[in-house]
Amino acid sequence: DRQAEAELLDPNSCAVKNIIRREIGGAWVADDLYQETFRIVIEKTRRGDIREPEKLSGFVCGVARNLVIDYFRRAARQGSLNEVEEATTLPDPAPDQLEALLRKEQSDFARQVLKEMRNERDIQILFRFYLAEDKKEQICADLGLSSLHFNRVLHRARERYLELYKRLSSDQSR
């Protein structure tokens, strides 16, 4: 009976709109969920699936809440699928050929600067600490340095390295 269905919609209409709009910001989504709520309620009423007709307004509000929850679940799933798709299209972090060549040239130049240095201890500390990545404690033990003395020696070696690096790079660019 269409008249009975209309009477079913009127008292629950405002409550359903409030439930949906409170949770869903977008008007078109809220309108879709509002219509879907009453479609489901009318279908269940026609089939006789409503067990307690006196609690109909609670049933209608429950359907609306469930649709809102389902909407957010689908959105979250879709979001995670989009994240997976975006992750598979990320650029390869490996350097391209030009970057690899430039890195090799820089590395070769850095090694050349090390070879040009005059102080053997500077060369050994810089090489072991930065290139070989030996532990500070091991280098200190091998060279008989305290931790504080190592810091001073490393600082002076870096300063001498930088000075030589700048001089050689300016010579190379001429």
Side-chain angles (χ1 to χ4, degrees):
D1 181 10
R2 300 264 181 221
Q3 174 99 17
E5 289 173 356
E7 289 175 18
L8 167 75
L9 299 178
D10 285 341
N12 296 304
S13 178
C14 192
V16 169
K17 279 185 184 178
N18 287 335
I19 289 170
I20 294 172
R21 289 236 165 108
R22 183 178 60 227
E23 301 296 326
I24 307 283
W28 66 270
V29 174
D31 290 342
D32 286 351
L33 292 177
Y34 174 80
Q35 290 176 359
E36 184 68 9
T37 298
F38 285 105
R39 183 192 64 78
I40 291 171
V41 169
I42 289 172
E43 282 181 4
K44 290 195 179 257
T45 303
R46 287 179 183 165
R47 286 193 310 245
D49 291 345
I50 299 177
R51 291 173 285 195
E52 300 176 53
E54 64 277 1
K55 295 182 180 179
L56 184 62
S57 49
F59 174 74
V60 172
C61 291
V63 170
R65 283 188 203 95
N66 288 339
L67 286 173
V68 168
I69 291 168
D70 187 53
Y71 168 78
F72 283 115
R73 281 186 186 143
R74 279 185 279 132
R77 267 195 308 263
Q78 187 63 35
S80 64
L81 289 176
N82 288 342
E83 290 171 8
V84 169
E85 288 173 9
E86 288 171 9
T88 59
T89 60
L90 290 176
D92 185 10
D96 62 13
Q97 291 177 341
L98 177 61
E99 286 180 49
L101 178 64
L102 290 174
R103 284 184 185 172
K104 182 174 180 345
E105 286 180 356
Q106 288 173 338
S107 175
D108 290 345
F109 186 68
R111 289 178 191 276
Q112 178 188 348
V113 172
L114 272 178
K115 287 179 185 175
E116 298 279 332
M117 292 182 77
R118 304 221 187 287
N119 187 322
E120 187 60 38
R121 186 170 70 173
D122 288 352
I123 296 169
Q124 190 174 11
I125 283 183
L126 291 172
F127 179 82
R128 288 184 65 187
F129 191 70
Y130 290 109
L131 298 176
E133 296 181 357
D134 289 349
K135 300 256 187 260
K136 176 181 175 178
E137 295 78 23
Q138 183 62 46
I139 298 170
C140 288
D142 292 347
L143 299 178
L145 301 172
S146 70
S147 179
L148 185 60
H149 191 209
F150 172 85
N151 292 343
R152 282 190 224 128
V153 171
L154 182 62
H155 176 75
R156 286 191 297 255
R158 282 193 311 239
E159 285 181 336
R160 286 191 280 268
Y161 176 89
L162 181 60
E163 183 182 313
L164 184 59
Y165 181 89
K166 287 178 180 177
R167 191 179 54 187
L168 290 176
S169 64
S170 69
D171 290 348
Q172 197 176 43
S173 64
R174 289 186 207 166

